[in-house]
Amino acid sequence: MSPLSVSRPGRIRAAIDVPPDKSISHRAFIFNAIADGRATIEHPLDSQDVRSTATCLAALGVGIDWPAGRATATVTGRGMHGLFESEDVLDCGNSGTTMRLLTGLLSAHPLLSVLTGDASLKARPMARVISPLRKMGAHIHARRGDTLAPIVIKGGDLAGIAYDSPVASAQVKSALLLAGLYADGDTSVSEPGRSRDHSERMLSAMGAPLVVEGATARVSPTSRLEPLSLRVPGDISSAAPWLVLAVCHSDAEILVRGVNTNSTRTGLLDILRAMGADFELLEERAAGGEPVADLLVRSSRLNGTVVSGELVPRAIDELPLVALLGCFAEGETMVRDAAELRAKESDRIEALVHILGRMGARVTARPDGFTIHGPVPGLRGARVDAIGDHRMGMLAAIAGTLAEGETRIDNDAVGVSYPSFFQDLARACDGAAALP
Ligand code: S3P
């Protein structure tokens, strides 16, 4: 495929309707798959990752009605014990959420299941779900000493555990909570920092006996979940490129509409605030059991900041964009405690050092993050490789939109989470997405 090309507009005035939340879309399909009855999901994210989830669930016998191009999907749940054994391997594509949540769910089903994915997913750590699920009694095997997909599961009876997770990961937490719904006794998951809590909100709304105390979520077994119909709010991780574009560009004002502002996801807003960015939350409201707002963001003078600790899981998918913010900020910007960045769709620390380095920024990799001294005298366009990682594709595109000259991007993969990203970028830059 030929590389995509972007360059800098002199002025940006745009209003963007951000795509639906990926995490909530996955969960809406997976949780409703085991509910008693039919749910309507309005505005699910139609991207490669969520399609992977829907296809896997259909292979397990779940009634999914979601024709291409339709903004509403229906899921006819099979109840908690009604999934069929899939006739084939379940292909999770590029999606860690699909693989890890289904591993938890299928550990509790007396079926033989084999989960695989693309080259990136087959290189991502799976012991983090396999080993606690085995402690619960699941029979799971995987490649490389039970650490890498493909994963083979022969599900069955489980016992609850109190699990102290070494990583703050909503995927691990959600896999164990799903398994815990079927276990004998309670299952609790404690995290070193609070990860996104969409599973807790949605499962509680479906009637699951679930309590949250600080960074611990505990679920008791149940025999029934109510279907949950919802309208999926906009994804703050897909809003993030626009927020960063607006604050770094010298003449920009962007209104990003319908963004989920759940506090377990708004680390980037806290980082922007600490850097002195000019933005406001407008029309605060609720959708799909989550807080939502429009964000109005303008060109800003930024100062460097340190991102660490509890902020990291609350901004995990946005941290590569913080490196770009650092290029436009006065002084040092440092991200630490974020070794998880190396376990995403790519090693995002190495990938961002490559992309921003090609454009003239000097970013120093750390084992658990990166440091950058800003402001960088002038980013210049370059040919960069996003190595099939959607977040790196969007980072490269926004960096290219802020750079002097043309940027060409190979392997952007934006279809994984934001299929209309380049159309929205073109509309924002040529004025076609102008503010009302
Ligand atoms: C997600 C959780 C995060 C995030 C990923 C989506 C989820 O991963 O990076 O994009 O939907 O639960 P981890 O749970 O591995 O931190």
Side-chain angles (χ1 to χ4, degrees), residues 78-362:
R78 300 205 54 84
M80 289 196 59
H81 297 278
L83 297 181
F84 296 157
E85 190 167 83
S86 172
E87 284 174 13
D88 211 334
V89 166
L90 297 165
D91 185 356
C92 305
N94 189 245
S95 175
T97 306
T98 310
M99 181 168 280
R100 295 196 177 114
L101 269 61
L102 289 185
T103 298
L105 181 63
L106 291 169
S107 289
H109 286 76
L111 314 169
L112 183 78
S113 307
V114 183
L115 279 73
T116 192
D118 68 8
S120 155
L121 189 53
K122 282 188 287 193
R124 294 181 65 188
M126 292 298 147
R128 55 182 58 196
V129 284
I130 294 173
S131 92
L133 287 166
R134 278 182 153 184
K135 287 197 179 111
M136 295 176 78
H139 300 285
I140 311 184
H141 297 282
R143 209 160 52 81
R144 289 269 180 91
D146 299 328
T147 63
L148 298 179
I151 300 174
V152 182
I153 306 164
K154 181 83 175 93
D157 293 342
L158 302 178
I161 50 167
Y163 187 62
D164 237 327
S165 177
V167 284
S169 161
Q171 293 176 359
V172 171
K173 175 175 63 180
S174 305
L176 300 186
L177 293 177
L178 276 170
L181 292 173
Y182 294 83
D184 195 11
D186 290 356
T187 297
S188 67
V189 187
S190 302
E191 303 183 276
R194 193 98 206 273
S195 66
R196 63 194 66 191
D197 68 353
H198 309 303
S199 294
E200 294 91 308
R201 287 170 185 250
M202 294 170 76
L203 289 172
S204 294
M206 296 173 82
L210 194 150
V211 287
V212 177
E213 281 161 14
T216 300
R218 181 172 29 257
V219 73
S220 305
T222 188
S223 56
R224 187 170 197 279
L225 290 177
E226 297 293 335
L228 178 67
S229 292
L230 76 161
R231 181 177 173 83
V232 180
D235 197 326
I236 195 163
S237 298
S238 300
W242 310 118
L243 310 186
V244 171
L245 176 61
V247 299
C248 294
H249 191 279
S250 58
D251 184 5
E253 184 170 285
I254 303 184
L255 178 67
V256 192
R257 287 189 287 234
V259 183
N260 181 356
T261 52
N262 175 326
S263 64
T264 62
R265 298 286 301 278
T266 49
L268 179 66
L269 300 188
D270 295 347
I271 294 166
L272 285 169
R273 223 171 261 124
M275 297 181 87
D278 179 0
F279 70 94
E280 38 190 320
L281 271 68
L282 308 171
E283 309 282 339
E284 294 185 54
R285 54 202 186 268
E290 301 270 350
V292 171
D294 299 340
L295 301 178
L296 183 60
V297 197
R298 302 183 188 90
S299 307
S300 306
R301 287 178 70 86
L302 301 174
N303 47 265
T305 191
V306 177
V307 176
S308 64
E310 63 84 35
L311 205 43
V312 167
R314 295 175 51 240
I316 189 70
D317 293 336
E318 292 69 72
L319 293 178
L321 285 162
V322 173
L324 184 55
L325 289 172
C327 293
F328 288 84
E330 195 70 49
E332 187 179 86
T333 296
M334 181 194 286
V335 171
R336 57 175 194 239
D337 303 332
E340 273 297 296
L341 286 176
R342 296 192 182 276
K344 296 296 179 187
E345 286 83 330
S346 69
D347 177 337
R348 289 185 174 160
I349 296 174
E350 292 310 320
L352 73 87
V353 166
H354 156 78
I355 290 170
L356 296 177
R358 299 267 304 171
M359 301 176 80
R362 268 194 300 117

